[in-house]
């Protein structure tokens, strides 16, 4: 299985498009050109234009913020964190930059720094659902599931019909093996936003848990249909294919996912599962041991280590 890439749910939905009176200035024109490149799905070119704007004005908040978002999209987390930090150096209470830097720290594995940003955000905007949502995301990464669930509930108190929060709450119930409660939250989320691919990814995870691998494949195909660019969907599909006996197709998906994110422990584990079923137990064990050293509680790893060590 793979965890939801929770930070992706709404990170890139709102990039500021500026048309105010500074659009005739040089930096404003570069900013607008960068936004146009984003519309054309050319993030590298967008970065170049935002960087040109910042050569004109190194403190240009709009360019720093938008460039930081694109860096985040490309998983260039150190650069994203740097841009959001530059915004916060000028305005430590900037809620947009606090949220995004918190997500950046979280995705970079710097959980305590992320938590500091979430605390600042809660202090700045205690009645914002996003403040509690970020706290929940970070606590989940830290595997503090009860407090993460409480944070998501606080977020839903402020915005009850938010599908993003509901999906993440459903995911936490999944981690806690509370599958019926997970289904309840995901049903509500689907009614609110039936085109959200993470809904079907989670349904696939639940189907896998019940050993209905064919149904898991149906659901993950729906996720990929809705968002063919999300690498961890392919990793999940690869796992389901292995359990259905389609080993080479599974490996192809897992390798594709690893190419996008070589640090994905779920994909490394799944590659070990592939080699286990191909009869290469010693090679499989190297993958399982690598994952175990970094996350000994990751699902299925201990089971497969035991299977590999059986005579």
């Amino acid at each position: 299985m793979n965890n939801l890439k929770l930070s992706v749910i709404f990170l890139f939905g709102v990039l500021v498009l500026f048309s105010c009176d500074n659009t005739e200035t040089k930096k404003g024109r570069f900013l607008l050109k960068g936004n146009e490149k984003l519309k054309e799905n050319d993030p590298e070119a967008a970065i170049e234009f935002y960087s040109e704007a910042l050569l004109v004005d190194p403190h240009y908040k709009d360019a720093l913020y938008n460039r930081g978002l694109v860096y985040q999209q490309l998983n260039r987390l150190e650069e994203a964190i740097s841009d959001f930090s530059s915004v916060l150096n000028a305005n430590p209470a900037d809620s947009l930059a606090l949220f995004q830097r918190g997500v950046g720290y979280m995705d970079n594995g710097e959980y305590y720094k992320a938590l500091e940003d979430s605390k600042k955000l809660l202090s700045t905007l205690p009645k914002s659902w996003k403040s509690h949502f970020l706290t929940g995301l970070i606590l989940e990464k830290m595997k503090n599931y009860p407090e993460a669930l409480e944070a998501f509930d606080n977020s839903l108190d402020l915005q009850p019909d938010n599908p993003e929060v509901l999906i993440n709450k459903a995911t936490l119930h999944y981690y806690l093996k509370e599958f019926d409660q997970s289904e309840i939250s995901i049903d509500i989320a689907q009614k609110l936003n039936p085109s959200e691919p993470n809904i079907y990814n989670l349904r696939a995870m639940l189907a896998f848990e019940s050993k209905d691998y064919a149904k898991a494949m149906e659901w993950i195909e729906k996720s990929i249909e809705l968002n063919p660019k999300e690498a961890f969907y392919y990793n999940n599909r690869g796992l389901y294919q292995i359990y259905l006996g389609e080993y080479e197709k599974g490996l192809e998906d897992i390798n594709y996912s690893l190419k996008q994110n070589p640090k994905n422990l779920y994909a490394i584990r799944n590659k070990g599962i592939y080699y286990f079923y191909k009869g290469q137990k010693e090679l499989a064990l190297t993958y399982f041991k690598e994952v175990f050293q970094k996350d000994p509680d990751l699902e299925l790893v201990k089971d497969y280590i035991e299977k590999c060590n059986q005579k």
Side-chain angles (χ1 to χ4, degrees), residues 65-271:
Y65 183 75
N66 280 15
R67 189 175 70 173
L69 284 175
V70 181
Y71 279 144
Q72 233 164 6
Q73 182 182 9
L74 297 175
N75 206 38
R76 293 164 62 175
L77 299 175
E78 296 287 351
E79 291 160 295
I81 290 166
S82 176
D83 277 352
F84 297 133
S85 295
S86 294
V87 174
L88 290 165
N89 286 339
N91 181 8
D94 188 294
S95 60
L96 291 174
L98 268 176
F99 182 90
Q100 296 302 155
R101 189 175 71 173
V103 171
Y105 279 137
M106 178 185 72
D107 286 344
N108 208 36
E110 300 177 81
Y111 299 140
Y112 290 101
K113 289 183 179 180
L115 211 53
E116 284 301 311
D117 277 354
S118 77
K119 288 177 181 177
K120 292 174 187 174
L121 194 62
L122 280 167
S123 176
T124 304
L125 295 173
K127 297 298 183 182
S128 168
W129 69 271
K130 285 187 178 182
S131 303
H132 297 278
F133 182 59
L134 177 60
T135 302
L137 293 177
I138 299 162
L139 290 170
E140 182 197 338
K141 288 284 190 179
M142 299 174 78
K143 298 191 175 181
N144 186 343
Y145 296 152
E147 288 191 27
L149 196 57
E150 182 181 352
F152 289 145
D153 282 334
N154 290 337
S155 184
L156 287 168
D157 286 342
L158 294 164
Q159 194 172 105
D161 294 334
N162 189 304
E164 289 86 1
V165 184
L166 284 162
I167 292 166
N168 286 290
K169 182 180 178 183
T171 305
L172 275 183
H173 284 305
Y174 166 83
Y175 290 149
L176 293 166
K177 307 296 183 183
E178 299 168 353
F179 301 132
D180 289 342
Q181 289 172 274
S182 182
E183 290 275 9
I184 291 169
S185 291
I186 210 68
D187 286 344
I188 299 170
Q190 186 171 342
K191 289 176 183 176
L192 292 167
N193 185 9
S195 63
E196 169 52 57
N198 280 318
I199 290 170
Y200 307 101
N201 179 61
L202 183 53
R203 289 201 184 281
M205 293 162 67
L206 289 164
F208 180 86
E209 197 69 32
S210 63
K211 297 182 169 35
D212 190 345
Y213 308 131
K215 179 59 71 173
M217 276 293 292
E218 289 181 26
W219 287 127
I220 199 63
E221 293 286 12
K222 177 71 172 176
S223 292
I224 292 171
E225 177 187 337
L226 289 167
N227 183 5
K229 296 181 179 179
E230 188 53 73
F232 70 88
Y233 295 158
Y234 292 90
N235 178 53
N236 283 2
R237 188 175 72 175
L239 179 64
Y240 309 149
Q241 286 172 327
I242 288 172
Y243 272 75
L244 288 167
E246 297 284 351
Y247 302 122
E248 302 313 316
K249 289 182 180 178
L251 181 62
E252 183 179 345
D253 276 343
I254 292 163
N255 281 338
Y256 173 78
S257 186
L258 278 169
K259 186 177 180 181
Q260 308 306 310
N261 180 8
K263 296 180 181 179
N264 184 346
L265 294 181
Y266 289 90
I268 296 169
R269 180 206 64 188
N270 291 351
K271 196 160 184 177

